C-alpha cells in the first residue's frame, strides 16, 4: 500500500510499504477514509535529523473496519470508526479515570497518513460513527481524533466555565478549537492571541470575543487591558514553544490556571517565585486523552451544534501529502485533510 | 524597643530600634506575645549578602492589640490576635476568592521577631483569639499565622481527599503540618519523605502511614513501591529546593498534582514532555493565603482535635533569637518559638 514517511526535516515522501496485518488478537485493520496533517507533525518537519529508515506519519484518522482480531467484539467489517490519537485499552485504572494517554497498554498512533492501518487495542480505542462514508460531517468527525478533543482538554483542565475569562495562545487548529471548546463550556469572554487574520476570523466565528495580534510584551499588555488589568483566569496554551508559555505567564491572573496542550519544544522553563509560584498559578495540561471525550463531543458534532471541521481549509490526495506539509509549514493552509 | 535584624548570611542581631507607631488609619499596633523563626527565614540566613542597613525579621506572631487607627473597627486594646504572614484588606476581589496573598493592598510581614509591630490592614488581617495570654494553646494558635495554614494550602490545592494517596516531600514544620492537613482532609495513605527520625516520628503522630528516609532516586523508587508502582496522586512539596521538586516529579502518579509551598530557591525547572507534560501532571501551590483558612482551622485547634504547635521543640527569649536561627540551621531544633 501507499503510506507517508518522513525522512528528515522537510523530507516527506509517499511510498510503497507492506500492507498492515493483524498482529495481536486485540488488533483491528482499518482502511483509511480520511486522515490529516497535525500541527505537531510540523515540529519534526522543521527539526528531524535525516534518517535512513524514516518514520511513518499520521495519528488522526477516520476509517472503515476491514478485519478484527479474536479478542475484539462489537465491531465488524464495514463499520465507520474514529480513534483517538492515543490508543488505549479503555479498561485499566487510568482509562477509567479518563487518562487514556497513560494507559499501560496504550501508545500513540503513527502511520495513519496511509491507505490502511493496524489499530492496536481496537476495542478500547475505536468508536463507531453513525454516518455514511460520504457524510458531509467527516471533517468535523475527524477532529474528534485529536484537535477538537485537545482543545476541549485544554479548556476542561483549565477549569473553564461561565465565570472564567479565557485567553487562548495560538491560532492554529488546536487554538481555534480551544476557543470553540471554551465557548461550548460557557465562557463569555475569550481573548484569542494570534496574528493570522483568516485564522482569527474563524476564531471569532468559534466564539472569540477579542483578538490580540500583537506579540511579546505588547501582546501581553493588550490582553491585560482586555481583562481588567489583572489577566485571564484561564489561559489555554496551544503552541508548544517557550515564548507561548511565557506569554501565558504574562497574561494569567493571580490564582489562575495555564493549561498547555501544545507539545512543549523545551524542557526547562520559568517556574520560580516571580513567574509561577508567587501568584499561586497552576500549570496543567498534557497530551489530551481524547478517547475520554469522544462520547461527550460526538452528539454536538452529529447534531451540527459545533462545526470543528471548519479548521480544514485544504484537502489533498494521499500522493499530495508532502505538499500538505509544505503548505501548513508555510502557513498557506491552517490544517490539511488527506483523502486517500 | 528590641527587634531582630538580619545583616547577612549567619548574621542575626537583636538590637534597639524605634518603637512602631500608627502610620495609616488602617493600622493597628500590637505588642508581640509570641513569634517564631520560619524555615523560609533560613533561606536568607544561608545566602543573604552582607548589608549595612539590615532587614527586620519575622512574619509569624500572636499579639495583643495596643492601639488601632481610625478606620479599624471591631478590635480594641487588650484583644489577643493572630495574623496571617501576609496582611490583606480581606475585602477586594482576590481576598473574596480566598487569595489574600494577591491582595493589591496587601504585603508580607517582616519585623515580628520583636517586642511590638505595626500591622497594616489590621481589620482585614487580624483574627481575635478567645483564649488568655497564658493559654497552653498559644503554640498551636501561632501556627495559624503560617505553617499550619501553609501545610493546609498544600493539601487543599493538591486536591487531597480520602481517595488520594499523598506523598509529602520534606520533614520541616510545613512538611509535618502538610501531613497533618492531609490526614485532616481524609487521606488514608500518607508517605512522608524525610531523614530526621525525631521529625518523621512526629510526622507519624500527625498521620504519616509510611516514612521514606532514602533520598534521590532510591527514595523515589521506595515511594513508588509504596504507591502501587504508579506513584502518589498528590505530592506536597514543602522544601523549596530544586531537588525537592525533582523528587516530587519522581513520585507523582500520571494525572497527579504537585503542590509546592516551599518557597522556590530556583527560577528554571523541568516542565517539558518527559517531566511534567507527558503524564498530564498539574503543578500548583504558592504562598499560602492563610488568612482564608484561619476561621476553618481555628476550631480544630481550640477544641484540641489537632495539635500543630507540637512542631515547636524549642523556646527562646527575644535576646536569644540569633541562637534560635543557628539551632534551626544546624537542625538542632525543628522550629523555634520566640517569647519576647
Amino acid at each position: 500500500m501507499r503510506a507517508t514517511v518522513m525522512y528528515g526535516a522537510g523530507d516527506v515522501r509517499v511510498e510503497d510499504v507492506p500492507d498492515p496485518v493483524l498482529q495481536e488478537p486485540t488488533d483491528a485493520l482499518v482502511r483509511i477514509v480520511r486522515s490529516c496533517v497535525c500541527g505537531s507533525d510540523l515540529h519534526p518537519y522543521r527539526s528531524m535529523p535525516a534518517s535512513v529508515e524514516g518514520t511513518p506519519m499520521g495519528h488522526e484518522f477516520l476509517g472503515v473496519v476491514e478485519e478484527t482480531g479474536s479478542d475484539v467484539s462489537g465491531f465488524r467489517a464495514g463499520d465507520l470508526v474514529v480513534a483517538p490519537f492515543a490508543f488505549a485499552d479503555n479498561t485499566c485504572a487510568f482509562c477509567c479515570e479518563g487518562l487514556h494517554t497513560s494507559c499501560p497498554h496504550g501508545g500513540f498512533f503513527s502511520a495513519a497518513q496511509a491507505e490502511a492501518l493496524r489499530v492496536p487495542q481496537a476495542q478500547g480505542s475505536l468508536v463507531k460513527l453513525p454516518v455514511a462514508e460520504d457524510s458531509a460531517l467527516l471533517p468535523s468527525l475527524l477532529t474528534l481524533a485529536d484537535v477538537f478533543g485537545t482543545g476541549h482538554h485544554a479548556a476542561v483542565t483549565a477549569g473553564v466555565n461561565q465565570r472564567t475569562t479565557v485567553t487562548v495562545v495560538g491560532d492554529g487548529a488546536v487554538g481555534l478549537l480551544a476557543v470553540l471548546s471554551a465557548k461550548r463550556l460557557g465562557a463569555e469572554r475569550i481573548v484569542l492571541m494570534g496574528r493570522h487574520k483568516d485564522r482569527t476570523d474563524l476564531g471569532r466565528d468559534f466564539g472569540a470575543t477579542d483578538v490580540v495580534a500583537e506579540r511579546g510584551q505588547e501582546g501581553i499588555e493588550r490582553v491585560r487591558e482586555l481583562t481588567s488589568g489583572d489577566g485571564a483566569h484561564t489561559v489555554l496554551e496551544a503552541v508548544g514553544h517557550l515564548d507561548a508559555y511565557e506569554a501565558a505567564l504574562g497574561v494569567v491572573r493571580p490564582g489562575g490556571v495555564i493549561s498547555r496542550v501544545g507539545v512543549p519544544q523545551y524542557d526547562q522553563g520559568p517556574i520560580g517565585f516571580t513567574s509561577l509560584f508567587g501568584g499561586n498559578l497552576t500549570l496543567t495540561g498534557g497530551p489530551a486523552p481524547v478517547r475520554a471525550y469522544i462520547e461527550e463531543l460526538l452528539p454536538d458534532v452529529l447534531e451540527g451544534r459545533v462545526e470543528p471541521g471548519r479548521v480544514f481549509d485544504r484537502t489533498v490526495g494521499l500522493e499530495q501529502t508532502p505538499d500538505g506539509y509544505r503548505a501548513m509549514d508555510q502557513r498557506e493552509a491552517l490544517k490539511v485533510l488527506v483523502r486517500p
Side-chain angles (χ1 to χ4, degrees), chain A:
Chain A
M1 68 163 184
R2 303 287 286 169
T4 306
V5 182
M6 186 181 290
Y7 284 89
D11 185 1
V12 175
R13 309 175 201 169
V14 177
E15 54 191 24
D16 289 322
V17 304
D19 288 345
V21 293
L22 293 180
Q23 295 179 13
E24 306 285 338
T26 45
D27 287 351
L29 288 184
V30 163
R31 169 174 59 81
I32 301 294
V33 173
R34 295 287 186 281
S35 67
C36 55
V37 184
C38 186
S40 66
D41 293 334
L42 296 182
H43 294 312
Y45 188 76
R46 290 165 180 163
S47 66
M48 181 180 166
S51 146
V52 175
E53 287 197 345
T55 303
M57 297 300 293
H59 52 263
E60 302 154 282
F61 66 93
L62 302 178
V64 169
V65 174
E66 294 199 316
E67 199 180 345
T68 55
S70 56
D71 285 358
V72 180
S73 62
F75 293 95
R76 59 171 137 186
D79 286 340
L80 182 69
V81 291
V82 64
F85 68 88
F87 59 84
D89 63 22
N90 208 21
T91 58
C92 73
F94 288 107
C95 287
C96 290
E97 293 170 17
L99 195 63
H100 296 72
T101 44
S102 291
C103 175
H105 301 118
F108 296 106
F109 279 111
S110 183
Q113 292 160 5
E115 290 182 286
L117 184 69
R118 180 177 76 90
V119 176
Q121 299 296 339
Q123 191 161 334
S125 305
L126 298 176
V127 176
K128 248 188 270 193
L129 297 174
V131 300
E133 214 181 304
D134 61 353
S135 165
L137 291 174
L138 293 197
S140 285
L141 291 166
L142 179 54
T143 66
L144 295 171
D146 184 345
V147 286
F148 186 15
T150 295
H152 180 70
H153 185 59
V156 166
T157 54
V160 168
N161 61 40
Q162 59 273 29
R163 295 182 308 282
T164 52
T165 50
V166 179
T167 297
V168 174
V169 181
D171 58 8
V174 172
L176 299 181
L177 291 174
V179 169
L180 182 150
S181 298
K183 172 78 174 177
R184 187 179 164 279
L185 292 170
E188 292 173 359
R189 188 71 184 270
I190 304 170
V191 181
L192 172 61
M193 298 186 81
R195 63 203 171 101
H196 303 90
K197 188 166 181 306
D198 50 340
R199 301 181 179 194
T200 56
D201 283 351
L202 180 54
R204 287 186 194 272
D205 281 0
F206 281 165
T209 51
D210 304 271
V211 168
V212 170
E214 294 88 345
R215 308 189 78 182
Q217 197 54 40
E218 199 183 350
I220 287 169
E221 279 160 24
R222 186 84 190 92
V223 174
R224 297 186 75 90
E225 281 166 22
L226 290 167
T227 50
S228 324
D230 291 322
H233 297 101
T234 60
V235 181
L236 317 183
E237 194 281 90
V239 179
H241 291 296
L242 188 58
D243 57 359
Y245 171 60
E246 288 169 340
L249 285 171
V251 302
V252 68
R253 187 174 184 273
V257 184
I258 297 169
S259 180
R260 295 181 301 170
V261 291
V263 181
Q265 300 301 301
Y266 51 90
D267 182 48
Q268 301 276 322
I271 55 171
F273 197 99
T274 55
S275 52
L276 202 71
F277 185 87
N280 270 284
L281 302 177
T282 295
L283 178 59
T284 189
V290 299
R291 179 64 187 84
Y293 302 133
I294 293 178
E295 280 86 351
E296 178 185 347
L297 300 177
L298 181 57
D300 278 9
V301 172
L302 290 174
E303 291 156 31
R305 283 189 292 273
V306 293
E307 287 186 274
R310 292 180 66 193
V311 295
F312 292 109
D313 57 351
R314 183 172 299 194
T315 300
V316 299
L318 182 57
E319 298 299 324
Q320 286 73 50
T321 307
D323 194 57
Y325 276 80
R326 189 202 51 74
M328 280 179 62
D329 178 50
Q330 297 180 9
R331 299 190 189 274
E332 284 171 21
L334 168 55
K335 190 167 176 72
V336 172
L337 192 72
V338 179
R339 195 170 175 161

